[in-house]
Amino acid sequence: MKGGSSIGHQSFVYPGSVLKMNALVALCHFCELHGPRTLFCTEALHPPSPSPSSQAGVPVPGDRDRDGDREGEGLTMRANSSTTQRGEMCDGCRSLPASHPGFVSIDDETGIRFLSHQHPRQPQLFSVVRQACVRSLSCEVCPGREGPIFFGDEQHGFVFSHTFFIKDSLARGFQRWYSIVMVAMDRIYLINSWPFLLRHLRLTIQSLQSTALKVFDNEQGVCPQRAVRMNSVFSPAVFPHQRSGNAARSLTSLTQHPNLWASLHSSFSWLLKACGSRLTEKLLEGAPTEDTLVLIERQTEQEEEMSCWEGAEGGGSKSQRHLSESELGHDFLCDYAKLDELPGPKFRSLRHLRQVLGAAEFRQLVWHVLMGNQVIWRGADPGLIQSAFTVLKSLVPVGCVRSVPYSAQYEEAYKCNFLGLSPDVPIPTHVSSSEFSVLVDVSSERSCQISVMGEDDVSSLYQFTISSANTQPTDRGPTLLNKLEVALSNENLSVDVVSHCLLCLKEEWMNKVKVLFKFSKVDGRGREDTQKVLALLGATGPGEEDNVRLLKFWMTGLSKTYKSHLMTAVRGGERSPSQ
Amino acid sequence: MDIRFEEPALTGSYDVVGSFPKSFGYGVEESSTSADKPRILLMGLRRSGKSSIQKVVFHKMSPNETLFLESTNKIYKDDISSSSFVNFQIWDFPGQVDFFDPTFDSEMIFKGTGALIFVIDAQDDYVEPLGRLHLTVSRAYKVNPDINFEVFIHKVDGLSDDHKIETQRDIHQRANDDLADASLEKLHLSFYLTSIYDHSIFEAFSKVVQKLIPQLATLENLLNIFISHSGIEKAFLFDVVSKIYIATDSSPVDMQSYELCCDMIDVVIDVSCIYGLMQDGSGCAYDKKSLAIIKLNNTTVLYLKEVTKFLALVCILREESFERKGLIEYNFHCFRKAIHEVFEVGTSPQGISSSSSSLTGLKYATLNGSAV
């Protein structure tokens, strides 16, 4: 098969159900005697789908072909309406002899089988392909006559077709008319594959044409047809003239290619496979949240980095990569995996955390988290700290989280806003005296044994001391925190309900962030206007300062796509006058 | 204004385009879709000569060049109305494809047709073509009974005269027998012997086109009056580009005269192209002032004069009659005016009797008559 190298994975986020790519490629020919005919057809069979014809394995080729012929391409004029003429195939329209078993290629990765023969195996595809063939050869026109066309409908499928000429010294106009069509039921898929299909089909066509041209030149050199024909018309010996004489010439004889059909099979199979793996669809329920977008962005970045690294270092640096990632704590998803592995008691939810720490301390801590200050936890149990971080991270958008779960040295605030340290790590004075950080010291009451019974009871095992140089009052705002506290203290609401409530609050405030972002950063409004917007957003009131801080902090968590989209949208468009 | 445009009774109505007078500002004239213009279909088996006929008659291709024509693989719709008086489309069909298959919309194809020309290759066995002829004609008749069915027995240049007549008689008989068997006696077929290597194809095409012109009787009348008053022997009203004549007087048409006139047009146009154009090559070889007088050495005079943008009058007369040139010119002047009036009348509500036959309209507008 052609080129097994990486094609480049492109994700296509697509609301709707996931479809199985089901397409086939066919070579069609306008036969001198019979009109539009399907010459050669490659289809992809997906393993799970049990189609009736595949149950018997590869059917007896002879039977199938006879059926195919009997159904007849159907568009040949039958002068006497007799059925004898129906099934005939001349050299021009028969590609593989009826006894030929066809070609099969099996894709080991996916289990898809690519089958090629003169006609498609499944009877329902037969009429679809015939229709496509007729339309492509006899109905649709493109400028210059050799080129790509897209047409189709729901009933007969959608077709991408590329017509072309093959030179033939014995043909009437010195050329014969062919086309390659790709038939699929998914319109959007085909249209999105247009550039890809065009590029590759052109290559195939050009190679066929150049091979045939060589044969043509040879034949013309031996015996120039123009002279022969001009002279023969007027000689009486010609009568009755050569009606069927040079009518049909098979593609094999036109190109003198020894393995024409086999090589076409491999080209078409590759095309189907590559086209299918180019685009993928993801099932999406509802519009994506900002968090999802950020996650997707990070994933894409990681993949790109991976491919860069692999390319640069020959793929042997996986361990290195993991190490650097764990140092920087990039991989959001990795945390989950590691957390389960660590033993010991853990924080289960925000409510649990609140319970253990106490309402006032909890509030203080969460206030710092929401303001974007650095949250440092120092303790001996990495699992506990990590669980705390997991719980706290859910308070802010994904884009705002930069965490180092456990480290032996202090990391600056710009690197991470969630920092876990081992017990004996000193905190630099500039940090401990800074307003923008909070430290939680975890100390265990009993220095050793953890009793089997109380394994999960965090509060009995540990003591938490929260310290911060912050002088701001933490009890006025932000509004989000106030609402959250109400939800947390309401014992009637289960943990799940509270987490959903938090999700909604986050979305609400993320939307406010977006408005503010557009207003202030993108449009560049002044203070007064911004104040008005803030009032509109409900961010004013007793907790205004805190709300504003929250909004500004959360602005850093917007996805890059969103930011760049807004920036370009504004620059491209006109500034809307203020009302 | 063409009232037919508004009349809802017309089924499958198309725009009566060519007969719109220039003053009619509807703008539909240029923009009418090709589906709306009436058409002549060229059908037949593969290699019978359909594309060659179309190219030789309307595109001035040399008959020898037709040997290298590519096989037609889709319906080729040739619109010649811009250069020819003949304001309809010629549809050249690929012989291999069955257009009665449900995949194709045979209704659409045949509804707007004025004439169907079936081409039979006389140099080959004609049993198969006869079968196809019967099939085609009977199906087309079902869709649209007003189509003129013409059969060209083609490529007769290779046959001797006896053979020609024999072939024509045989085909004629068999075709009509088939029709009688299918009880389609009302269906009338006309047969012509044609070849692209002489003028017979033009002659046959002329007859086909004439049948589609509703003003034919009037034109013939005018010509009769003109020649009787001017002492002219024979006159033809020619379409200059395609060299088919759309009307002649009532005296019988002699092939040689026709050929002579065709040749004359060729000469005149060729010379005009050399000497008649401006310095920079602009201008038209054939315009209002085109006039030619050729005196042959057997005392016959050929006289050509422009009638409309597409039509020319070509007359054959004796030298003695030509001495009264002034009279002839005056008569011609009246004749020309009358012709213009005929074609202008053609655009106004002549056939708009709200009689149900929508297809009188079909034959109606095959003309670019008003184009002056």
Side-chain angles (χ1 to χ4, degrees):
Chain A
M1 271 207 196
K2 227 199 288 180
S5 57
S6 62
I7 299 148
H9 195 85
Q10 196 178 326
S11 284
F12 200 88
V13 179
Y14 203 154
S17 57
V18 176
L19 300 161
K20 256 199 300 200
M21 186 278 298
N22 211 349
L24 55 77
V25 185
L27 174 70
C28 311
H29 172 49
F30 189 92
C31 175
E32 258 300 324
L33 288 172
H34 304 113
R37 284 284 168 122
T38 319
L39 263 190
F40 190 73
C41 187
T42 304
E43 358 159 29
L45 288 183
H46 294 256
S49 60
S51 64
S53 47
S54 69
Q55 274 165 7
V58 178
V60 179
D63 284 342
R64 181 179 23 91
D65 259 337
R66 257 177 271 137
D67 281 345
D69 292 353
R70 212 177 295 132
E71 277 194 34
E73 293 283 350
L75 286 163
T76 308
M77 271 304 278
R78 303 175 300 277
N80 307 320
S81 309
S82 67
T83 49
T84 48
Q85 296 205 12
R86 248 177 153 164
E88 67 182 37
M89 284 212 181
C90 61
D91 272 348
C93 37
R94 153 94 48 210
S95 57
L96 300 172
S99 53
H100 197 292
F103 299 96
V104 182
S105 294
I106 303 178
D107 183 4
D108 295 321
E109 272 174 27
T110 54
I112 300 180
R113 289 181 292 156
F114 297 98
L115 304 177
S116 295
H117 208 287
Q118 172 115 23
H119 295 298
R121 297 185 53 206
Q122 300 166 47
Q124 60 269 41
L125 282 182
F126 193 89
S127 66
V128 165
V129 173
R130 187 185 82 193
Q131 171 88 317
C133 164
V134 170
R135 257 185 102 168
S136 140
L137 288 171
S138 285
C139 301
E140 309 293 337
V141 189
C142 75
R145 300 190 66 197
E146 287 197 352
I149 299 172
F150 177 85
F151 58 84
D153 56 49
E154 293 293 332
Q155 218 189 347
H156 299 112
F158 296 96
V159 180
F160 173 91
S161 116
H162 196 304
T163 51
F164 58 100
F165 288 109
I166 295 276
K167 286 243 176 271
D168 175 10
S169 57
L170 294 181
R172 280 163 73 180
F174 294 120
Q175 54 196 6
R176 298 206 188 255
W177 182 237
Y178 287 83
S179 81
I180 299 184
V181 297
M182 177 155 181
V183 185
M185 289 301 169
D186 185 354
R187 171 170 57 106
I188 298 183
Y189 170 81
L190 260 189
I191 295 181
N192 276 305
S193 311
W194 176 294
F196 173 80
L197 287 176
L198 183 58
R199 242 187 352 257
H200 294 280
L201 281 180
R202 265 218 190 114
L203 289 173
T204 313
I205 288 171
Q206 271 159 9
S207 90
L208 281 173
Q209 283 179 324
S210 55
T211 326
L213 189 59
K214 284 189 209 129
V215 176
F216 177 78
D217 288 337
N218 276 340
E219 288 175 356
Q220 286 284 69
V222 166
C223 166
Q225 279 293 312
R226 271 191 91 92
V228 168
R229 290 190 206 180
M230 295 277 266
N231 291 328
S232 67
V233 165
F234 296 104
S235 75
V238 167
F239 184 97
H241 74 121
Q242 72 291 46
R243 187 173 187 68
S244 41
N246 52 19
R249 246 182 111 182
S250 70
L251 193 56
T252 330
S253 84
L254 287 181
T255 53
Q256 300 291 340
H257 192 307
N259 296 313
L260 179 70
W261 304 115
S263 83
L264 270 183
H265 163 78
S266 57
S267 301
F268 288 171
S269 308
W270 181 86
L271 195 72
L272 283 170
K273 177 180 155 81
C275 201
S277 46
R278 254 183 97 242
L279 303 174
T280 56
E281 293 167 331
K282 281 206 178 86
L283 180 55
L284 213 57
E285 282 152 2
T289 58
E290 205 65 22
D291 283 359
T292 323
L293 288 177
V294 172
L295 279 175
I296 293 177
E297 267 177 9
R298 284 192 181 169
Q299 206 175 5
T300 330
E301 275 169 30
Q302 261 180 36
E303 283 176 3
E304 281 170 13
E305 279 176 27
M306 240 168 68
S307 55
C308 278
W309 274 332
E310 271 175 15
E313 299 170 31
S317 63
K318 269 197 167 169
S319 51
Q320 268 184 348
R321 186 175 54 78
H322 269 174
L323 204 60
S324 62
E325 274 187 16
S326 63
E327 277 177 19
L328 297 171
H330 267 217
D331 200 351
F332 187 78
L333 303 165
C334 264
D335 287 350
Y336 281 122
K338 286 198 214 142
L339 190 61
D340 289 337
E341 295 159 8
L342 299 169
K346 303 196 176 51
F347 289 107
R348 294 188 298 270
S349 67
L350 275 174
R351 191 177 269 163
H352 184 214
L353 185 65
R354 186 164 180 264
Q355 223 172 20
V356 170
L357 294 177
E361 282 78 28
F362 174 78
R363 187 176 177 115
Q364 196 188 13
L365 180 62
V366 173
W367 186 90
H368 279 279
V369 170
L370 289 174
M371 292 300 112
N373 295 338
Q374 189 179 35
V375 176
I376 309 172
W377 280 57
R378 196 162 50 175
D381 187 351
L384 180 75
I385 295 177
Q386 205 165 324
S387 69
F389 283 172
T390 312
V391 162
L392 287 172
K393 275 182 206 168
S394 62
L395 288 165
V396 289
V398 166
C400 296
V401 170
R402 293 174 312 282
S403 90
V404 175
Y406 206 72
S407 156
Q409 66 189 51
Y410 173 76
E411 300 287 351
E412 290 294 333
Y414 66 84
K415 264 197 209 162
C416 58
N417 55 349
F418 288 94
L419 178 60
L421 295 175
S422 46
D424 40 351
V425 177
I427 307 280
T429 36
H430 73 270
V431 176
S432 47
S433 56
S434 149
E435 280 200 17
F436 302 110
S437 70
V438 59
L439 174 63
V440 180
D441 268 311
V442 184
S443 51
S444 47
E445 282 192 339
R446 290 183 305 231
S447 53
C448 42
Q449 303 134 314
I450 306 161
S451 77
V452 182
M453 289 301 288
E455 226 184 75
D456 281 343
D457 191 2
V458 183
S459 50
S460 58
L461 289 171
Y462 297 103
Q463 238 180 355
F464 300 92
T465 330
I466 302 181
S467 54
S468 167
N470 173 48
T471 53
Q472 305 278 337
T474 61
D475 49 355
R476 270 192 262 157
T479 321
L480 183 145
L481 183 50
N482 298 341
K483 289 191 180 169
L484 184 61
E485 286 224 298
V486 171
L488 282 172
S489 50
N490 184 353
E491 290 292 330
N492 289 330
L493 301 172
S494 72
V495 169
D496 280 332
V497 173
V498 172
S499 68
H500 278 298
C501 172
L502 179 61
L503 211 69
C504 291
L505 283 170
K506 269 194 350 191
E507 270 306 293
E508 180 196 345
W509 282 87
M510 253 338 250
N511 287 337
K512 294 185 191 193
V513 165
K514 285 180 186 172
V515 172
L516 192 66
F517 176 74
K518 167 107 171 67
F519 205 79
S520 54
K521 291 280 187 312
V522 177
D523 287 349
R525 300 302 180 107
R527 261 212 65 87
E528 213 181 274
D529 291 334
T530 316
Q531 201 60 22
K532 288 187 194 156
V533 170
L534 286 174
L536 212 68
L537 291 173
T540 46
E544 183 178 327
E545 253 185 63
D546 292 343
N547 281 334
V548 173
R549 264 182 86 176
L550 182 142
L551 288 171
K552 286 191 182 158
F553 170 47
W554 283 26
M555 229 184 265
T556 62
L558 285 172
S559 65
K560 289 189 195 134
T561 354
Y562 186 78
K563 283 190 214 164
S564 61
H565 164 71
L566 272 192
M567 289 293 193
T568 48
V570 165
R571 279 184 198 143
E574 295 156 16
R575 299 257 311 238
S576 49
S578 59
Q579 257 81 46
Chain B
M1 188 179 90
D2 187 25
I3 295 182
R4 194 172 303 98
F5 205 60
E6 300 164 21
E7 199 175 71
L10 282 178
T11 55
S13 60
Y14 55 93
D15 291 335
V16 180
V17 172
S19 349
F20 275 50
K22 287 283 184 189
S23 56
F24 184 71
Y26 210 79
V28 179
E29 203 172 322
E30 281 79 27
S31 60
S32 83
T33 59
S34 53
D36 298 344
K37 286 194 185 160
R39 51 191 93 111
I40 294 184
L41 308 183
L42 274 170
M43 301 183 86
L45 263 80
R46 50 173 285 268
R47 297 203 70 140
S48 47
K50 308 177 286 294
S51 304
S52 310
I53 291 176
Q54 185 225 15
K55 288 278 186 222
V56 165
V57 174
F58 294 102
H59 294 271
K60 292 186 171 309
M61 187 183 263
S62 148
N64 291 329
E65 277 304 308
T66 61
L67 280 172
F68 307 105
L69 272 181
E70 199 184 287
S71 152
T72 318
N73 44 45
K74 42 173 81 84
I75 304 180
Y76 182 60
K77 300 182 189 173
D78 196 14
D79 193 340
I80 41 173
S81 53
S82 53
S83 53
S84 169
F85 173 79
V86 170
N87 185 34
F88 44 74
Q89 291 188 325
I90 315 274
W91 281 20
D92 180 19
F93 282 67
Q96 295 90 339
V97 184
D98 176 11
F99 286 93
F100 295 105
D101 189 276
T103 333
F104 295 99
D105 185 0
S106 53
E107 278 261 329
M108 194 277 283
I109 295 174
F110 294 103
K111 266 273 184 302
T113 306
L116 192 157
I117 301 177
F118 195 90
V119 183
I120 297 182
D121 185 348
Q123 289 183 3
D124 200 2
D125 175 40
Y126 46 77
V127 174
E128 206 190 317
L130 276 173
R132 178 94 90 95
L133 167 68
H134 179 75
L135 210 68
T136 311
V137 156
S138 45
R139 296 235 188 124
Y141 184 76
K142 269 195 219 134
V143 174
N144 181 355
D146 285 327
I147 299 181
N148 292 339
F149 294 103
E150 326 278 356
V151 179
F152 282 11
I153 303 169
H154 198 55
K155 304 193 194 174
V156 294
D157 43 278
L159 308 180
S160 63
D161 282 338
D162 288 338
H163 199 149
K164 275 188 216 176
I165 298 179
E166 177 58 40
T167 311
Q168 182 175 6
R169 202 192 53 78
D170 191 25
I171 292 180
H172 187 121
Q173 177 157 21
R174 288 198 201 206
N176 284 329
D177 285 345
D178 286 339
L179 288 176
D181 288 342
S183 36
L184 285 168
E185 288 91 1
K186 281 217 196 123
L187 218 170
H188 176 76
L189 296 170
S190 312
F191 296 85
Y192 305 88
L193 293 165
T194 60
S195 159
I196 50 173
Y197 289 97
D198 60 32
H199 285 90
S200 53
I201 184 64
F202 295 96
E203 162 91 30
F205 231 102
S206 307
K207 301 242 172 72
V208 171
V209 169
Q210 279 170 28
K211 284 194 201 167
L212 296 173
I213 298 178
Q215 298 100 334
L216 186 62
T218 317
L219 296 175
E220 278 186 353
N221 234 350
L222 281 172
L223 280 167
N224 283 334
I225 298 172
F226 174 65
I227 64 167
S228 59
H229 285 89
S230 313
I232 293 175
E233 282 186 0
K234 189 87 188 115
F236 294 96
L237 202 54
F238 265 97
D239 174 40
V240 172
V241 161
S242 58
K243 297 209 292 286
I244 54 185
Y245 67 93
I246 66 149
T248 182
D249 58 87
S250 319
S251 59
V253 174
D254 175 24
M255 263 319 275
Q256 273 94 357
S257 320
Y258 175 70
E259 285 179 19
L260 202 56
C261 295
C262 282
D263 290 342
M264 185 202 189
I265 294 179
D266 276 338
V267 167
V268 169
I269 299 293
D270 288 345
V271 172
S272 302
C273 282
I274 302 173
Y275 296 103
L277 300 178
M278 305 287 192
Q279 285 283 3
D280 52 3
S282 66
C284 192
Y286 180 74
D287 59 17
K288 275 206 185 85
K289 301 211 193 114
S290 291
L291 160 69
I293 304 167
I294 298 182
K295 295 194 175 151
L296 304 178
N297 60 6
N298 60 354
T299 71
T300 317
V301 173
L302 301 171
Y303 183 63
L304 182 152
K305 232 168 150 23
E306 183 264 9
V307 176
T308 76
K309 191 166 127 188
F310 304 114
L311 296 176
L313 180 73
V314 181
C315 314
I316 303 175
L317 58 157
R318 308 251 117 244
E319 216 170 341
E320 309 87 59
S321 317
F322 198 62
E323 279 158 27
R324 288 177 290 154
K325 192 154 166 259
L327 177 68
I328 296 174
E329 276 177 18
Y330 176 72
N331 283 343
F332 177 79
H333 171 76
C334 300
F335 170 77
R336 188 171 183 277
K337 212 164 73 141
I339 296 279
H340 281 248
E341 274 174 34
V342 168
F343 288 132
E344 264 156 48
V345 167
T347 73
S348 67
Q350 195 197 48
I352 335 271
S353 53
S354 25
S355 66
S356 52
S357 170
S358 53
L359 298 162
T360 47
L362 207 85
K363 312 240 172 150
Y364 213 101
T366 57
L367 313 175
N368 263 333
S370 59
V372 174

